[in-house]
Amino acid sequence: MKSQYQNRIELLQGTLDLLILQTLLWGPQHGYGISQVIRTQSGEVLQVDTGSLYPALHRLEKQKWIKSEWKLTEKNQEAKFYQLTAAGRKQLAEERSRWEQLSDAIGAVLKNPVIG
Amino acid sequence: MDSRKNEDLEAEIQSHLQMAAQDKVAAGQSPRDARDATLREFGNVGMVKEVTREMWPGTSLESFLQDIRYGLRTLIKTPGFAVVAILTLALGIGANTAVFSVVNGVLLNPLPFRDADRLVVLFHDKANFPEGSISYPNFLDWQRDNQSFEAMAAYRQNGFSITGAGEPENVHGQRISSTFFPVLGVNPVLGRNFSADEDRLGANPTVMISEGLWKRKFGSDPAIIGRRLIVEGVGRTIVGVIPAGFRLRISNFRTGDVYLPIGEDTEPQFRERSSAWGMDAIGLLKRGVTLEQARQDMARVNRGLAAAYPDVDAGIKSRIVPLKEHMVGELRPVLLVLLGAVAFVLLISCVNVANLLLARSNSRQREFAIRVALGAAQQRIVRQLLTESILLALVGGVLGLILAKWGTAAALAAVPRSLPRAENIGLDFHVLLYTFGISLVAGIVFGLVPALKTSHSHIGSTLKESGRNLAGTRGRAQGAFVVAEMALALVLLTGAGLMIRTLFHLWEVDPGFNPHDILTFNVSPSSSLASKSPDAIRAAYREMHAAIRSVPGVEAASFNWGAHPMEGDAEESFWVQGQPKPARRADLPYALQYVVQPEYLELMQTPLKSGRFLRPDDNDHSQFVVVIDEDFAAQYFPGKNPIGQHLVNEQTGGRERVEEIVGVAGHVKQFGLDQDAINTLHAQIYESFFQQEDDLMRRVAKGTDVFVRTRAGIDPTSVFPAIQHALNRVDAGMVVFGPENMDQTVADSIAQKRFSMTLLAVFAALALLLASIGIYGVLSYLVGQRTQEIGVRMALGAQRSDVLRLIMNDGARMALLGIGIGVVVALGLTHLMTSMLFGVRPTDPLTFAAVTLVLGWIALLACYVPAHRAMRVDPTVALRYE
């Protein structure tokens, strides 16, 4: 039971990283903005928990895949904006291809007719 | 740095909340609703910050400090728990620190001498006395002929009267070889050591004094060197002052106030090769020479002596013991047993606190589950919990240090005399390190199990279960704790029980005399007495005796110039007239010798077995008589009547003195209540004080012991000032000193065993208390857990007595299992105590039965309270119990 639970967390974290990096591909964004983008783009399916989002952002920053800067928003408010670094772009490309491989592989399994 | 990052995170979250709320207002919500909804959606702000911070690259020190801050906050939030846990640990750690500080001071610390590991004590190993005294001629030959010692030095202790500097007084002193202080590496604070020239017959009389005497008598006069001090009536030039820091207490040596060269002692008997005048020696081994090499070397020297002086030195052996071993060797097993015992107490404390932590971690289950769900690593939570428990242990350790300081002082006050090196005991760096170490280990030991259990428990179900925990597994862990506690407590109780039985046995031992209401002290008449005629000396002593007897409260009095029961021995060689005299003096048998007056037997209340005791008319004009003890009779006259037989002993100059045996007295436990049976010398003789030879009377003139029986019901020492006064009226220059209560002397002879018993009993009581608290706590907790179940049972018709039995059964099972394991462990461990016991075997069934019963009853009592509470559970309340 315990190990299953841990796997779920890891899967979510890994996926969240991919989603965050993907979101930032379109330009710098703050935490709230990132969660809004993921929610709307996923058709309201993916709700990003703040307790996962902020640790993920800080971890990605520690790994130097993103960097942060305080800037003014369109509504003239101070917010901490994150943006992709060069390393982050490379990481995004890797994670995308891994995700696509995984997705293809799972898709292939699911599409195969059941034998016997 | 840390605080800026925290502010930054705070601002980031605030901006998030603000933007989210603005969006909701834009969507048509009221600002108030928008703010509430935003906060709800965001979740626990503190928790989000916490888990985010864990991602920071911060150093391990930072996160460690963070853990400590968090830990302190949690402890402060539950002060009751913290206080109980810290006090429990402080007791355990304090007791350990106290015992360790004794072990450290006595066993571990090196002796305070240069080259301490090369210092040895030398004895003459002979029949009855493996550590017998050496004769001066033999010592000189050892010193000259050996090849393994850098130097040897002899010493012999004495009381010395000093006059010519203020009030006359008697001080403790030593006669020493000129090499004595150089061997130890002790340098005078002022002046110099004796020269070899001053350490021989006919030398100019010199003396070294202690720094204490220098201060007391001479006001620390810097020009003291070269001044004169009158010792035993002889003017001596002061050549050196020994530092106050010099302390040594070994067989026949005690730090004194005056030191005289041993080689200038003019006493003719002292220079006889056959004499045994309480002289021992120390030696400094040459660098690189092992103990074994030195022993072989001395065996070679002794073969030469045996060949040269077959009459007295046939079979002569040396005994060489490392100085430290000689000082503390006997104590080592005792201290190690105590150290082991006190470690058990700490273990029980740890188990108790682990129990408390388990019970508490229960209520924090949700807190940790949430943190894990939010991404905190389990490892991190274990670390957090461990930090908390180590924090507890360290606070407990600091408090324990204070307890230890106080406890050690109390323990040492209980044994002022029997513990060697007691002055070394204190809280030094090693002790502090030890305390820190055991606190740390204790923190990990009692923290680890609860921490692992808490962090590994089933998070999903914990969250679902809305705070109800897993009584099953938790109960098992706590049950195991109780079993362990019971087992540990049983082992300690057994140890204490064996010591208590030992002491009871010792108290029941008949010392062979009645020590109540006996005062002993010493007299040292004016030095002019020694130069008078033997008859004048006898007359002076008769006058002194009359003076002592005239003091109100004195019922009987006797001088004793010989062995002092349980304090010091004196022997005389003899042979039985009519039996062949051994060819060599070395083969003569010895008997313990008491030189006393007729009142001695009545005074000591030693029983007379047959014949008569000494009488006042046994004086210097009548036939020499002697009274022997029953062991002497059994050994030398088995199955015969010794009365009327004669003993012969050889006097100085070879003259034979014949004494008629007139009576047989009971045996006196000369060597102490426990040691007398072990010692091989048992035969005892009583000779008449006033029948001593003339040359002995001159030595008696320098001083002797006095025994006084006082009226029952008064403190024997209370009559001492009156006696002092009465004696000084006879001889104003007489020094009367060293009053001691015989009861105290007997008690001191078993002080070490009493000390062990007291400490073990205290530890066992502590263990019993902690273990009962432990079993009580666990059962209360389990009853709390099972309230619902109990409610169901009662609703289904269970009687209250059934419930009581149910809970009692639980407790009894744990207690019995613990007791069973404890008995097995105790059987394996108590043999380590063999050397501490007397009259009881380490597997004494009575002790085992008794401690099992005591522990069993106390455990049942501890179970009864929560069981009784369970019995009174109201089913309707219990069923709603959450």
Side-chain angles (χ1 to χ4, degrees):
Chain A
M1 281 300 275
K2 185 198 83 191
S3 56
Q4 264 180 18
Y5 183 72
Q6 268 179 341
N7 284 345
R8 190 163 62 90
I9 293 280
E10 270 170 21
L11 186 66
L12 271 178
Q13 279 177 349
T15 319
L16 183 58
D17 288 358
L18 175 62
L19 293 178
I20 290 170
L21 293 176
Q22 176 69 29
T23 310
L24 293 180
L25 197 56
W26 312 117
Q29 188 56 276
H30 45 72
Y32 174 64
I34 294 170
S35 69
Q36 291 305 99
V37 170
I38 294 176
R39 205 184 73 195
T40 48
Q41 290 195 344
S42 69
E44 311 276 324
V45 171
L46 296 177
Q47 299 270 357
V48 182
D49 184 13
T50 49
S52 305
L53 175 68
Y54 282 100
L57 283 172
H58 286 238
R59 190 178 55 245
L60 292 172
E61 188 177 13
K62 187 171 87 182
Q63 281 160 327
K64 303 232 165 37
W65 292 333
I66 58 177
K67 57 184 180 186
S68 64
E69 193 183 3
W70 282 91
K71 283 199 295 202
L72 287 179
T73 63
E74 293 157 14
K75 290 176 187 163
N76 226 12
Q77 279 177 333
E78 288 241 325
K80 194 177 180 186
F81 280 79
Y82 293 90
Q83 73 179 84
L84 273 182
T85 63
R89 276 172 209 281
K90 232 174 86 188
Q91 179 66 19
L92 175 60
E94 271 173 33
E95 293 217 358
R96 273 187 79 131
S97 77
R98 202 180 310 140
W99 172 257
E100 274 154 15
Q101 273 178 351
L102 182 68
S103 164
D104 287 350
I106 292 174
V109 172
L110 293 180
K111 267 183 219 139
N112 258 354
V114 178
I115 299 167
Chain B
M1 159 82 190
D2 204 35
S3 67
R4 220 176 56 219
K5 280 180 94 165
N6 273 323
E7 280 168 24
D8 189 76
L9 178 62
E10 174 67 25
E12 184 174 12
I13 288 171
Q14 286 310 321
S15 85
H16 179 122
L17 292 173
Q18 214 178 349
M19 286 185 284
Q22 278 171 356
D23 281 0
K24 290 199 194 317
V25 171
Q29 290 193 18
S30 75
R32 192 202 188 99
D33 288 349
R35 204 184 61 223
D36 289 350
T38 308
L39 277 174
R40 208 165 41 241
E41 275 173 26
F42 191 91
N44 185 334
V45 173
M47 199 67 82
V48 169
K49 279 195 214 166
E50 182 98 23
V51 293
T52 304
R53 265 191 229 115
E54 281 169 15
M55 298 303 154
W56 290 354
T59 60
S60 53
L61 178 71
E62 273 170 33
S63 68
F64 176 60
L65 291 176
Q66 200 182 318
D67 280 350
I68 288 186
R69 269 197 301 273
Y70 189 82
L72 279 177
R73 270 204 308 274
T74 359
L75 289 183
I76 290 167
K77 263 189 278 176
T78 48
F81 160 79
V83 166
V84 170
I86 287 170
L87 280 182
T88 306
L89 287 166
L91 275 180
I93 295 173
N96 270 272
T97 302
V99 173
F100 180 77
S101 69
V102 174
V103 169
N104 179 55
V106 174
L107 295 187
L108 300 182
N109 277 350
L111 296 177
F113 301 116
R114 192 188 67 201
D115 305 317
D117 50 338
R118 289 195 284 138
L119 287 174
V120 298
V121 190
L122 291 113
F123 300 101
H124 180 172
D125 179 359
K126 49 189 151 186
N128 300 320
F129 296 100
E131 299 195 340
S133 54
I134 312 164
S135 73
Y136 193 60
N138 279 336
F139 166 75
L140 291 177
D141 290 338
W142 283 4
Q143 200 178 26
R144 190 191 59 216
D145 297 341
N146 85 81
Q147 292 167 355
S148 40
F149 289 87
E150 247 172 50
M152 274 186 195
Y155 56 89
R156 175 160 65 84
Q157 61 186 351
N158 255 125
F160 293 101
S161 66
I162 51 176
T163 43
E167 285 283 296
E169 65 178 300
N170 197 291
V171 295
H172 184 79
Q174 297 278 154
R175 281 199 176 263
I176 54 170
S177 301
S178 59
T179 43
F180 185 83
F181 288 117
V183 160
L184 293 173
V186 172
N187 295 314
V189 281
L190 213 61
R192 55 170 177 83
N193 277 311
F194 294 126
S195 68
D197 263 345
E198 286 159 346
D199 185 20
R200 62 180 52 142
L201 268 179
N204 204 20
T206 49
V207 64
M208 295 179 80
I209 61 173
S210 71
E211 193 175 339
L213 191 77
W214 176 49
K215 276 193 185 133
R216 186 154 54 84
K217 285 271 182 192
F218 302 99
S220 302
D221 179 2
I224 186 73
I225 303 303
R227 281 183 53 181
R228 276 159 65 86
L229 179 68
I230 298 167
V231 183
E232 299 283 311
V234 176
R236 291 177 172 273
T237 310
I238 298 172
V239 298
V241 178
I242 292 299
F246 167 66
R247 288 231 182 90
L248 182 65
R249 193 183 180 116
I250 50 179
S251 135
N252 286 328
F253 191 96
R254 184 150 63 79
T255 313
D257 272 330
V258 294
Y259 300 92
L260 274 58
I262 199 166
E264 51 138 80
D265 191 343
T266 52
E267 203 61 60
Q269 283 202 338
F270 173 63
R271 295 184 178 272
E272 278 184 30
R273 201 168 280 276
S274 61
S275 72
W277 268 37
M279 189 192 85
D280 296 331
I282 52 172
L284 179 65
L285 291 173
K286 282 183 181 160
R287 243 170 249 285
V289 170
T290 65
L291 213 52
E292 197 39 49
Q293 285 166 335
R295 282 175 182 148
Q296 281 171 11
D297 182 39
M298 288 307 291
R300 176 190 58 79
V301 173
N302 284 328
R303 278 195 297 276
L305 286 177
Y309 312 100
D311 184 33
V312 290
D313 278 351
I316 181 175
K317 280 188 286 183
S318 316
R319 182 173 159 79
I320 307 176
V321 187
L323 179 59
K324 192 169 164 189
E325 172 77 28
H326 173 67
M327 288 174 75
V328 300
E330 250 180 41
L331 217 58
R332 183 173 299 124
V334 177
L335 287 182
L336 293 184
V337 163
L338 289 177
L339 196 63
V342 82
F344 275 32
V345 174
L346 182 59
L347 266 179
I348 296 179
S349 313
C350 284
V351 171
N352 258 7
V353 176
N355 256 334
L356 282 175
L357 278 176
L358 261 189
R360 191 180 70 130
S361 71
N362 196 38
S363 56
R364 297 175 68 184
Q365 199 69 20
R366 268 170 71 77
E367 169 195 341
F368 292 119
I370 290 170
R371 289 185 65 187
V372 170
L374 289 178
Q378 301 218 332
Q379 198 191 344
R380 182 64 210 253
I381 286 177
V382 172
R383 208 175 74 192
Q384 173 65 48
L385 283 168
L386 273 185
T387 308
E388 280 178 38
S389 55
I390 289 171
L391 214 57
L392 273 178
L394 289 181
V395 177
V398 170
L399 204 60
L401 265 184
I402 298 167
L403 285 181
K405 185 145 183 60
W406 176 79
T408 316
L412 285 181
V415 275
R417 295 212 289 175
S418 65
L419 196 67
R421 306 192 72 201
E423 70 277 5
N424 276 308
I425 295 166
L427 300 180
D428 64 4
F429 174 70
H430 290 132
V431 175
L432 292 181
L433 201 67
Y434 177 83
T435 306
F436 180 71
I438 57 168
S439 306
L440 212 60
V441 170
I444 293 171
V445 165
F446 72 71
L448 204 56
V449 174
L452 289 178
K453 280 203 90 68
T454 307
S455 72
H456 280 193
S457 56
H458 192 326
I459 291 151
S461 61
T462 304
L463 288 175
K464 261 185 276 157
E465 267 187 78
S466 70
R468 207 172 336 122
N469 53 75
L470 311 147
T473 55
R474 191 72 37 78
R476 247 198 327 274
Q478 291 186 322
F481 283 164
V482 168
V483 169
E485 276 187 325
M486 285 287 134
L488 291 168
L490 186 109
V491 174
L492 280 183
L493 278 175
T494 309
L498 288 172
M499 280 318 289
I500 288 171
R501 294 258 293 148
T502 292
L503 264 286
F504 270 114
H505 277 287
L506 283 175
W507 283 325
E508 275 169 17
V509 169
D510 175 10
F513 59 93
N514 174 8
H516 305 314
D517 308 313
I518 291 181
L519 166 75
T520 65
F521 59 93
N522 307 82
V523 290
S524 175
S526 291
S527 51
S528 57
L529 186 62
S531 55
K532 290 188 178 154
S533 74
D535 283 338
I537 296 170
R538 288 191 186 97
Y541 268 98
R542 288 205 167 92
E543 203 183 342
M544 284 156 60
H545 185 250
I548 297 168
R549 287 292 269 111
S550 71
V551 171
V554 172
E555 298 199 326
S558 169
F559 298 117
N560 178 8
W561 198 77
H564 187 138
M566 303 197 185
E567 279 216 342
D569 51 293
E571 293 80 29
E572 190 172 50
S573 63
F574 66 91
W575 70 92
V576 177
Q577 199 178 52
Q579 292 179 7
K581 178 191 174 189
R584 296 180 306 205
R585 268 196 285 174
D587 298 332
L588 285 175
Y590 277 85
L592 284 160
Q593 178 195 31
Y594 304 89
V595 181
V596 297
Q597 291 174 275
E599 283 185 352
Y600 184 78
L601 195 78
E602 165 202 340
L603 180 160
M604 295 292 274
Q605 296 182 1
T606 301
L608 187 67
K609 298 291 179 181
S610 62
R612 66 168 178 91
F613 196 65
L614 305 172
R615 284 196 308 237
D617 57 3
D618 296 324
N619 56 34
D620 47 318
H621 303 300
S622 60
Q623 155 74 39
F624 293 139
V625 294
V626 64
V627 173
I628 61 174
D629 82 320
E630 50 194 332
D631 286 19
F632 190 116
Q635 192 176 351
Y636 295 98
F637 305 103
K640 282 186 286 187
N641 182 7
I643 292 176
Q645 303 273 357
H646 292 84
L647 299 185
V648 191
N649 50 58
E650 208 166 54
Q651 301 295 307
T652 330
R655 195 170 47 80
E656 290 180 0
R657 172 187 160 111
V658 180
E659 297 172 337
E660 182 181 338
I661 298 174
V662 294
V664 178
H667 179 71
V668 167
K669 296 265 191 310
Q670 167 68 29
F671 297 104
L673 296 177
D674 52 341
Q675 296 299 313
D676 201 70
I678 302 164
N679 213 292
T680 48
L681 183 60
H682 271 216
Q684 297 171 340
I685 57 173
Y686 296 88
E687 291 175 329
S688 170
F689 187 78
F690 289 112
Q691 282 191 345
Q692 289 302 298
E693 303 286 316
D694 289 356
D695 59 331
L696 277 178
M697 279 325 288
R698 284 201 193 88
R699 272 165 61 197
V700 171
K702 291 184 178 172
T704 184
D705 287 355
V706 187
F707 283 52
V708 166
R709 173 162 290 277
T710 56
R711 202 175 57 234
I714 59 169
D715 174 9
T717 50
S718 68
V719 301
F720 180 69
I723 291 175
Q724 231 174 350
H725 189 69
L727 284 172
N728 279 325
R729 267 208 310 259
V730 174
D731 172 359
M734 184 180 330
V735 187
V736 185
F737 62 100
E740 270 182 59
N741 183 338
M742 198 72 190
D743 270 328
Q744 190 59 44
T745 308
V746 174
D748 282 350
S749 84
I750 55 169
Q752 188 176 307
K753 286 198 163 55
R754 206 176 43 229
F755 176 63
S756 317
M757 181 205 71
T758 310
L759 280 190
L760 275 179
V762 168
F763 297 159
L766 214 56
L768 193 60
L769 179 73
L770 288 173
S772 345
I773 293 174
I775 193 167
Y776 166 80
V778 167
L779 270 198
S780 302
Y781 172 79
L782 291 182
V783 165
Q785 292 298 305
R786 294 173 72 174
T787 304
Q788 228 175 359
E789 177 203 329
I790 292 167
V792 172
R793 281 174 189 261
M794 289 176 89
L796 291 177
Q799 295 300 305
R800 290 187 185 281
S801 60
D802 296 332
V803 173
L804 184 71
R805 202 173 310 123
L806 178 78
I807 302 297
M808 289 298 277
N809 269 346
D810 261 10
R813 226 182 8 253
M814 292 188 280
L816 280 181
L817 187 57
I819 287 172
I821 295 173
V823 166
V824 173
V825 175
L827 280 173
L829 287 180
T830 47
H831 71 93
L832 295 175
M833 295 177 63
T834 310
S835 70
M836 299 162 64
L837 301 180
F838 178 85
V840 56
R841 278 179 306 133
T843 53
D844 180 47
L846 189 65
T847 307
F848 273 83
V851 298
T852 305
L853 272 180
V854 167
L855 189 60
W857 271 109
I858 296 219
L860 281 185
L861 209 65
C863 295
Y864 182 74
V865 180
H868 192 253
R869 199 178 308 138
M871 190 178 87
R872 310 186 52 144
V873 161
D874 180 347
T876 53
V877 175
L879 288 175
R880 274 186 275 118
Y881 186 84
E882 178 73 345

